[in-house]
Amino acid sequence: MHSSFAPTRRSSLNTSVPVDRARVLDTLVNNLQGMAYRCLDDASWTMLFVSQGCLELTGHGPEELVEGCVSWEELTFPEDRLRVRREITAATAAGRRFAVQYRILTSAGQVKWVVERGIAVADENGRTVIEGFIEDVSVRHLTLEALEHAELRYRHIFEHASEGIFQTTRDGRYLAANPALAKLYGYATPEELIADLADIERRLYVRESRRDEFRRLMEAHGEVINFESEVYCRDGSKIWISENAHIVRGAHGELICYEGTVQDVTERKSYQEQLERQANHDLLTGLPNRNLLGDRLDQSISRAERLGYFLALVFIDLDNFKFINDSLGHAAGDQLLVEIARRLRGCLRTSDTVARQGGDEFVLVLNDHYQVNSIISLLERVLVEIGRPVSLSGREFQVGASLGVALYPQDGGDASSLLKHADVAMYAAKDRGRNNFQFFTRELNHLADERLNLESAMRSGIEQDEFAVHFQPKVDHRRRIVGVEALARWNSPEFGQVAPDRFIPIAEETGLIVPLTEMILKKAFAAAVGWAPTHGHAIQVAVNLSPKLFLGEEIVSRIAALLREAGLAPERVELEITESVFLGDSERAVRILSEFKDLGVGLAMDDFGTGYSSLSYLRRFPLDIIKIDRSLVTGVEHEEELAMIARAVISLGQSLRKTVVAEGVENQAQFDFLRYQGCDEFQGYLIARPMPADEFRQLLARSGGQL
């Protein structure tokens, strides 16, 4: 005490006046808010001294407490007495300080919470006494008690809420979860959920981007409201949830966590989807109805405008539906509509739409067609599918359909115009005898008619052996004939000479390419057997295989059989393929190529330089020859860019030890340039035009194989 007060007193008073330590101590003790005391360690805690603060604390003056009128044991709350004595006795026995909290009763009967701190010491006579200080902590205790009650209430809400409650970090880890959330996601306890679901973004949301959207909204607004997402449960099943959450920040504004609630809204979502489906789908067939058709058509028009493709709108009206519906009843009519809907869905790609307009009318929205021929091919398939027999009431029936077609943008720039014009075209199809399709414009109808007639004539022409094989020679750099390419030619009794660029696409789309190619192979092999070697080498015959034929069943064994039948060695045959055979099942393509290699035939990549991944094919697949497409040859003698590409292709072929053949060589300058770059073989009008087998045989005899 002396050291604490001495500096102050020296600065303001005469230094010769001594400090009255007893007075200072008495002033301090009696002005403290609380009661300083000395008592005996006996049954009554007999007070030997108490400070003036006892009056405010207990309502009793010092004389009452010291003279024994009121003992401290009596003032101690009855339920607390045993605990207090036990704690103080243990501390004094160990010679350490104590601090104990308990209740007392004041003279007015008020209950107060106090904290008593003290220690057992020896007094002036060597007797053990307890000295300490007792202060009122009722307000603090009530505050803590209120906090405890609030925490208890929150914990009760947290534990027993029907909604899921969570706290997560920004990067997607759970800090806390209640039992309702654990149950919602299929976990037995919150602890299991927190331990297992450590990566919310990838483990919880079906669409990972939803967590990014959740964070974006949080950072923009500080909260999310009714944030709906599809999520995975522990067992892999999916549910829909709605989240309400906010950011919890610290005293300095730093982000502590995300906190919020989760509700299962699967049932509501399912009900909404059901209502939406009823509003947008035909109840009988499940197809889009008029409402959804309008939306799909608007989307398709926007897409067609953006990409520059054709969009075809097809209006379909079933023929003879009324007869079946009236004679067999509505149940049979409904069954027929459901079956037709199924067949139409089977004809289309996922990017297309088939809708039911009402009654026996359907609408097709055909996207992403870059030529009318592919639309025509699809419409033919639709008619075939609709026309297949259908079993109704134990009997087989056959129905047809009248199809009207309108194209965007030629026949209308909006959905209403297209529907109107397709409907007009559909009635034109009915007027032409039904079970056919008509375009809205006369020109396209003429094209469709011609295509249909050509297809029919082709079928007949293959059966009647109207197709011939012409041979275009290939020469080496010395212009010696080393091989030929077999090409189909068609002289139709009905259409006259039909160019390959007219009949080949139809053959590809209709599947007629398979019997046509087999016929070319057969005739080419038979002709090649009779060709004498030139310059000591047998002349090779090359035939182009369509992807459909190449990837068909048992193609290797079928060609092997044709070779045996003709008596032609496999080494004299080259099979030309395009890279489209690799765009689907490339493993199957590799297997077929390997089988051809085992057979002994040569393999060529046709139209090289026009595909987007030809280089990778050359590296991966067992090809012997690459044929530079004519588009890279025409103009090569005066266009530097083409010349650079041609040089690169030839150099690549040489590096990979492939034979490089240039197609479409039409003048001497092209020949000289390509020969100088190291091209191996040449084919084109400069060398010779395609010619019949007899004419080629005469050419060989006349030229000795030198052109």
Side-chain angles (χ1 to χ4, degrees):
M1 296 292 294
H2 175 75
S3 62
S4 300
F5 283 88
T8 305
R9 293 181 65 82
R10 278 198 299 270
S11 66
S12 59
L13 300 173
N14 191 320
T15 57
S16 63
V17 179
V19 175
D20 187 348
R21 295 183 180 182
R23 183 175 177 278
V24 170
L25 184 60
D26 184 62
T27 300
L28 285 173
V29 168
N30 284 301
N31 282 283
L32 288 172
Q33 192 169 7
M35 184 183 85
Y37 72 90
R38 174 187 279 185
C39 74
L40 297 175
D41 186 10
D42 61 7
S44 299
W45 305 112
T46 301
M47 292 295 174
L48 302 176
F49 164 79
V50 295
S51 67
Q52 291 296 327
C54 68
L55 184 60
E56 183 180 354
L57 181 67
T58 68
H60 297 285
E63 65 282 355
E64 292 181 79
L65 294 176
V66 173
E67 294 176 3
C69 297
V70 179
S71 74
W72 195 257
E73 181 75 4
E74 292 174 5
L75 293 182
T76 303
F77 202 72
E79 283 82 355
D80 295 344
R81 289 171 185 168
L82 182 60
R83 175 176 59 82
V84 172
R85 186 166 294 278
R86 185 183 299 122
E87 291 187 29
I88 294 176
T89 299
T92 56
R96 57 179 171 78
R97 297 179 182 276
F98 64 82
V100 59
Q101 184 170 291
Y102 58 95
R103 290 166 291 181
I104 64 171
L105 284 169
T106 68
S107 62
Q110 180 186 4
V111 177
K112 288 185 177 180
W113 279 92
V114 298
V115 169
E116 180 179 350
R117 295 180 177 85
I119 190 171
V121 297
D123 67 3
E124 298 81 356
N125 301 315
R127 181 178 55 173
T128 299
V129 294
I130 298 174
E131 292 182 348
F133 186 76
I134 302 172
E135 64 175 318
D136 184 355
V137 294
S138 298
V139 174
R140 188 197 317 164
H141 183 83
L142 288 173
T143 301
L144 292 174
E145 192 175 56
L147 288 173
E148 288 176 2
H149 286 161
E151 184 178 354
L152 184 63
R153 286 195 299 272
Y154 172 76
R155 175 57 56 185
H156 187 273
I157 293 170
F158 185 77
E159 296 290 343
H160 296 91
S162 58
E163 291 183 339
I165 303 175
F166 67 85
Q167 287 181 334
T168 68
T169 62
R170 184 185 182 281
D171 61 358
R173 290 180 296 103
Y174 277 104
L175 299 172
N178 71 337
L181 187 67
K183 182 179 179 182
L184 186 67
Y185 292 158
Y187 292 88
T189 65
E191 292 73 23
E192 282 188 19
L193 182 150
I194 293 170
D196 181 62
L197 204 52
D199 186 349
I200 294 173
E201 183 171 352
R202 293 177 177 80
R203 292 280 311 284
L204 181 65
Y205 293 101
V206 173
R207 287 172 50 208
E208 291 181 15
S209 61
R210 291 302 285 165
R211 183 67 180 182
D212 289 335
E213 179 65 9
F214 183 92
R215 275 195 295 260
R216 188 189 68 77
L217 291 172
M218 277 292 199
E219 289 164 9
H221 308 293
E223 64 178 358
V224 296
I225 299 173
N226 298 328
F227 185 79
E228 293 187 355
S229 310
E230 192 176 19
V231 299
Y232 291 110
C233 292
R234 188 181 195 180
D235 61 2
S237 60
K238 300 175 187 177
I239 61 171
W240 279 89
I241 61 168
S242 176
E243 297 177 83
N244 291 291
H246 60 271
I247 293 177
V248 178
R249 298 190 182 277
H252 303 292
E254 74 278 13
L255 188 150
I256 296 176
C257 66
Y258 296 154
E259 182 177 79
T261 60
V262 177
Q263 280 186 305
D264 183 348
V265 294
T266 306
E267 187 174 342
R268 173 171 62 79
K269 198 77 175 177
S270 176
Y271 182 63
Q272 287 176 342
E273 288 176 355
Q274 183 180 349
L275 290 178
E276 184 180 343
R277 184 165 186 79
Q278 289 174 352
N280 294 307
H281 289 79
D282 174 51
L283 295 180
L284 175 64
T285 63
L287 296 176
N289 61 14
R290 289 172 184 258
N291 293 335
L292 187 53
L293 172 64
D295 181 64
R296 294 274 182 88
L297 189 49
D298 288 338
Q299 291 181 32
S300 295
I301 289 172
S302 298
R303 178 178 173 83
E305 183 177 16
R306 187 172 68 254
L307 299 179
Y309 286 128
F310 282 121
L311 163 66
L313 183 72
V314 185
F315 207 106
I316 300 176
D317 185 86
L318 299 183
D319 299 332
N320 301 321
F321 174 77
K322 188 175 186 305
F323 167 77
I324 292 174
N325 202 46
D326 291 346
S327 59
L328 299 182
H330 294 302
D334 288 349
Q335 183 183 346
L336 174 62
L337 293 174
V338 170
E339 175 61 19
I340 295 299
R342 185 189 67 79
R343 294 181 184 183
L344 290 175
R345 274 194 297 258
C347 288
L348 305 188
R349 302 160 300 173
T350 55
S351 59
D352 298 328
T353 295
V354 52
R356 186 183 177 202
Q357 182 80 346
D360 62 339
E361 295 175 340
F362 297 87
V363 175
L364 308 182
V365 181
L366 310 178
N367 296 299
D368 302 345
H369 286 268
Y370 63 90
Q371 58 181 7
V372 176
N373 273 339
S374 63
I375 297 172
I376 295 172
S377 179
L378 178 55
L379 297 177
E380 290 176 339
R381 190 159 72 248
V382 167
L383 283 175
V384 169
E385 281 296 306
I386 293 175
R388 286 193 295 110
V390 58
S391 180
L392 301 169
S393 301
R395 296 163 55 191
E396 276 201 348
F397 290 86
Q398 217 165 353
V399 294
S402 300
L403 280 58
V405 188
L407 297 182
Y408 174 88
Q410 297 94 312
D411 301 336
D414 55 51
S416 177
S417 298
L418 290 173
L419 283 166
K420 175 184 174 183
H421 294 159
D423 190 35
V424 169
M426 183 270 293
Y427 279 104
K430 282 187 176 295
D431 291 342
R432 291 194 59 177
R434 308 190 176 212
N435 202 37
N436 70 96
F437 58 85
Q438 290 292 300
F439 285 89
F440 179 68
T441 56
R442 182 178 303 171
E443 294 79 10
L444 288 177
N445 276 328
H446 176 72
L447 177 63
D449 287 344
E450 180 188 72
R451 187 188 182 285
L452 289 173
N453 292 334
L454 273 175
E455 180 187 338
S456 176
M458 276 188 70
R459 294 183 187 278
S460 174
I462 292 172
E463 293 174 2
Q464 301 300 322
D465 197 24
E466 295 173 4
F467 288 85
V469 178
H470 285 200
F471 299 93
Q472 185 172 30
K474 291 190 296 183
V475 299
D476 63 12
H477 67 285
R478 296 180 182 176
R479 297 187 64 148
R480 295 180 302 188
I481 297 175
V482 293
V484 294
E485 181 177 0
L487 301 166
R489 293 294 182 264
W490 182 25
N491 186 12
S492 166
E494 182 179 354
F495 295 98
Q497 290 288 347
V498 183
D501 59 359
R502 287 180 66 196
F503 70 79
I504 292 295
I506 297 175
E508 289 278 7
E509 291 166 12
T510 60
L512 290 174
I513 195 70
V514 174
L516 179 60
T517 306
E518 287 193 351
M519 183 211 70
I520 294 170
L521 286 166
K522 200 167 190 176
K523 291 188 176 184
F525 292 171
V529 170
W531 298 333
T534 60
H535 309 288
H537 298 285
I539 296 175
Q540 310 281 66
V541 59
V543 181
N544 191 291
L545 289 187
S546 76
K548 279 189 178 179
L549 187 63
F550 179 82
L551 296 172
E553 294 298 323
E554 301 178 345
I555 179 62
V556 179
S557 60
R558 287 160 69 184
I559 289 181
L562 290 174
L563 287 169
R564 287 194 301 271
E565 182 182 332
L568 185 67
E571 294 75 17
R572 293 188 56 196
V573 174
E574 294 172 6
L575 298 176
E576 298 181 359
I577 57 174
T578 58
E579 68 173 281
S580 59
V581 303
F582 304 116
L583 297 181
D585 187 351
S586 61
E587 296 303 319
R588 174 174 169 77
V590 170
R591 188 174 69 252
I592 293 172
L593 288 174
S594 299
E595 290 176 5
F596 272 130
K597 291 293 288 183
D598 292 340
L599 179 62
V601 301
L603 298 171
M605 168 71 80
D606 197 13
D607 300 335
F608 186 79
T610 61
Y612 67 90
S613 53
S614 298
L615 296 180
S616 66
Y617 296 148
L618 288 184
R619 182 178 59 84
R620 291 176 56 201
F621 304 133
L623 300 167
D624 306 297
I625 303 161
I626 57 175
K627 298 188 73 174
I628 304 176
D629 186 70
R630 67 181 66 249
S631 64
L632 300 179
V633 173
T634 302
V636 73
E637 72 276 22
H638 53 74
E639 293 185 29
E640 182 56 31
E641 193 173 90
L642 283 177
M644 290 173 60
I645 296 172
R647 287 192 200 100
V649 172
I650 294 169
S651 175
L652 176 68
Q654 291 172 337
S655 300
L656 296 175
R657 295 184 175 84
K658 311 289 185 187
T659 299
V660 181
V661 180
E663 292 184 291
V665 179
E666 297 182 351
N667 59 55
Q668 190 63 40
Q670 293 170 358
F671 181 88
D672 291 340
F673 172 83
L674 294 166
R675 178 179 59 178
Y676 177 74
Q677 299 302 324
C679 187
D680 300 298
E681 297 177 5
F682 308 84
Q683 178 182 345
Y685 285 177
L686 173 68
I687 312 303
R689 291 176 177 270
M691 60 192 73
D694 290 343
E695 189 176 326
F696 176 67
R697 190 164 48 248
Q698 293 169 13
L699 175 67
L700 283 176
R702 184 173 64 251
S703 66
Q706 184 77 38
L707 296 180

